[in-house]
Amino acid sequence: MVSSLLALSLFLFVGAGLSVADTPVSCMYEDIRGKWVFYVGNGGYDNNINCSTMGYEVSKILFQYKLELKYPNIVIDEFNNEGTWTMIYDEGFEVTIHNRKFFAFSKFTGNMFNSTSFCNETFPGWSHDVFGRDWACYYGNKMAGDAAKSSESGELAGSQPVGERLYRSDPSMIEKINSDSSILWWAAPYEKFEKMTVNDMKSITGGHNTKKLRPPKLNKQPNTNDNNIPDLPDNWDWRNVSGVNYVTPVRNQAVCGSCYAFSSVGMCESRLAIATGNQVKVIFSPQDILDCSSYSQACDGGFPYLVAGKYAEDFGLVEEKCNPYQEFERETCDKVARQNCTKYYFTGYQYIGGYFGGCTEQLMREALVKHGPMSVAFQVYDDFVHYKGGIYHHTGLSNRFIPFEWSNHAVLLVGYGRDEKTKTNYWIIKNSWGEEWGEKGYFRIKRGTDECAVESLASQTFPIF
């Protein structure tokens, strides 16, 4: 019976017609917290096991594993072992307990416009020991909880016919931004955007399947770690630390929703350089992530936690020269070619604060100064695409011509500072839209107020060398 349930889950997963991140599923913290049973299949496999397609068959469930996900990120199993867990945005969750990891996406049916989330079930996911040697597939069922919840959306930018229209700047919006002295930044039209469709614009700002950032409201006490943070410098910029630049050049993702991949490789490149005293300078391949990662959705989005973190730990990153960027996803991963590439591994990945929902501005600054640039995400509104310089904050203005949809865009945090003239604290962030955009490919955004949720989804990882 359990095996047939797993087969049904596999069928539904493939039949949904979508990859696994970003997906239409929407599960909140309280949907996931509680008692679960994991149905774990035969082990002994390596990381070539594919738990996301019907190509992998479990002859029988090896065992059932009961555990409870508790507040805020504690997990206790039936044998009283204790571990940790975190949500991956609203799309799945990862458990680490007794030297073993379990990761799966929450189950759904439907599509981005009309879907049903089954937050008390998961799709088949991956389980392995912390050394990445013994792999198995599993799926999870919550022991109690609502069976399903539906969600519908209106016409998104990726739908017909709006998506095929050419994007059009709104001169009136730009003029209002530049003439308002209370706005701390200035705007400009970009010719390259005028040549893109609305679908293309949706892709560069996060991918067609991205959703509004909604960090869990855990009603937690102020993070006690904040009280132990050492004094930090007033300003910091990894592009110039005692005259040394640890940040790799700005790149251009083009019209693929691969911002998460560029954010991920940018973090890994800088942190490897920092850890080796700038002796190891590598440019990693975002294309490899698009082609080969089962933890993301290629040109339709993904999460740095699962790429710079889980993918880089489980499979390693390869250099750009091994798989140059093509601006589109290939149908299959060339595993033979990948096998001949040098792999660079990372570990210790985590959300800042230890779990999704635990992030604070102070903890972000500490991690940035101590360990290097990190991946962050924020809510993109239609005024942001016209940013040219200054300290960005959402103005509330919108494009009259094109109904631009908000999206969740991943970027690379490299520093912070304070503008003494306006008494405004800001973050310094590297984008992936080319050097001609913004402040030579970078932008500054208000710091300490969670502007556009930029202080909600920071994650980090650490190089192995």
Side-chain angles (χ1 to χ4, degrees), residues 161-178:
V162 175
E164 294 182 356
R165 299 179 192 169
L166 282 176
Y167 179 79
R168 181 180 174 187
S169 298
D170 184 348
S172 174
M173 179 179 70
I174 294 173
E175 193 276 331
K176 287 179 181 178
I177 292 171
N178 292 337

Side-chain angles (χ1 to χ4, degrees), residues 151-164:
S151 62
E152 296 183 5
S153 62
E155 183 183 49
L156 297 180
S159 64
Q160 300 290 342
V162 175
E164 294 182 356

Side-chain angles (χ1 to χ4, degrees), residues 306-320:
L306 294 176
V307 173
K310 192 166 183 63
Y311 182 72
E313 180 178 271
D314 292 347
F315 299 95
L317 301 180
V318 303
E319 295 184 43
E320 172 70 11

